[in-house]
Amino acid sequence: MTAPEATSDTPATPEPKPAVTSWRDSFAVYLQPRVLIVLLLGFSSGLPLALSGSTLQVWMKEAGVDLGTIGLLALIGTPYTLKFLWAPLVDALHVPLFTQVFGRRRGWLLLSQLVLMATILVLAVADPARSPWFAAFAALLVATASSTQDIVVDAFRVESLPESEQAAGMASYVAAYRVGMLVSTAGALFIVSGVESAGLARPSAWMWGYVVMAALVVIGIVTALAATEPAQSKGAEAATHAQNAAERVLHAALGAFSEFLSRKDAFAALAFVVLFKFTDAFSGTMTAPFVIDIGFSKVDYAAIVKGVGLAATLIGGFAGGFVARRYSLATSLWIGGVLQAIANLSFSWLAHVGVDQWALALAITAENFTSAIGTVIFVAYLSALCRNPLHTATQYALLTALAAVGRTYLSSGAGYVAKAVGWQMFFVICVLVAIPSLILLAWLQRRGHFDELGPVRV
């Protein structure tokens, strides 16, 4: 599925002008059965993240675990970064019985969800006060099962949704993912507090809180059972049926990389993947210190940055879906890229205004709303890059790992920049760091990169 090379003297075929999409049509796509399936799988993917992260940290703090050990819990998130290493196994190997009964993608999906439920139950019976390292090991198992589920869900979403439903599916996925995270943070803490106030000891309250979270994995299991195997996955399974397991794994691992790198301007596309969300990552790293430093309280941060910010993110996700359906992929990326960069100026304005809850709410709304638009369109682009069903999971896991480079590594020096130039100028710089990605976007568009992806109507 390698795109043909375009000669320099052949003009690129212009992108087809998309048909005008009404608000009614844009809303109706979210009610399609395939999109609703992806929405529920998004909840299933978002649910376990905090159980091995922030919620576990609160549990360990209440159990009296020292701060040094709690700080090391950040390493538990390693499977989410390295999941592309075992993605070829998900692409290539058949799960005994599961694959025969449910199919290639649904079989792996059900297996990962059953393992996820079991590992959450193991974590539920752990006692951080007596054995914090066993609890950390159980949390690592949860993170591994959760990241494996993410691999399968991403591949399932890309393969099962037609072009016209990709952006709507991603917007639904992002919204439900956030709701799942909210349930496993605020929801889990509410359950623990309620059980504890009913008279149970604190360790038992935490155990039942995690047991309830394990029970909620059933939502994903029922969704997987109700879904149908993607046609692309069935075709890929038939194409590799004659190969043995080792051959399929090798083909998935090597084919995913060679097929992508053989494309025209592959390295420029990879650089664009790394840089497109860098403006968000660079500013987002310093949002919490900025809000506290200019004089807002922790209550302001929790209520406005987290509460109002979540609502703006959900609305922005669906707005991004509308933009991506209405315009071509390249145009949508321009809209998302420019908006998410300019929104950083709202923080420069907030630094000038000072402590004002309404100003903070406005700035957070602008930043989260535009960031969500950019995220939905960007992931639609990543999905368009992964169209070979023989190794969808491997390619998508690799691309998301590259996208995390900006968030994890390139933005690590943001604090030093803020300290050197002050908050107002720092967020101006956050706008400027978006320029390289926009230059790459213009260059790729001129080179016909988006035309080679096919008539992508996300």
Side-chain angles (χ1 to χ4, degrees), residues 404-425:
V405 169
R407 180 178 69 248
T408 306
Y409 301 109
L410 297 182
S411 60
S412 59
Y416 294 102
V417 176
K419 183 177 180 180
V421 302
W423 289 119
Q424 282 186 269
M425 183 54 64

Side-chain angles (χ1 to χ4, degrees), residues 293-339:
D293 187 59
I294 66 174
F296 289 98
S297 67
K298 292 190 288 294
V299 174
D300 292 329
Y301 177 82
I304 300 176
V305 177
K306 293 301 183 182
V308 175
L310 174 61
T313 298
L314 296 180
I315 297 171
F318 288 106
F322 174 78
V323 169
R325 274 181 55 81
R326 189 176 183 89
Y327 302 103
S328 67
L329 179 58
T331 302
S332 298
L333 285 168
W334 275 109
I335 293 172
V338 171
L339 286 179

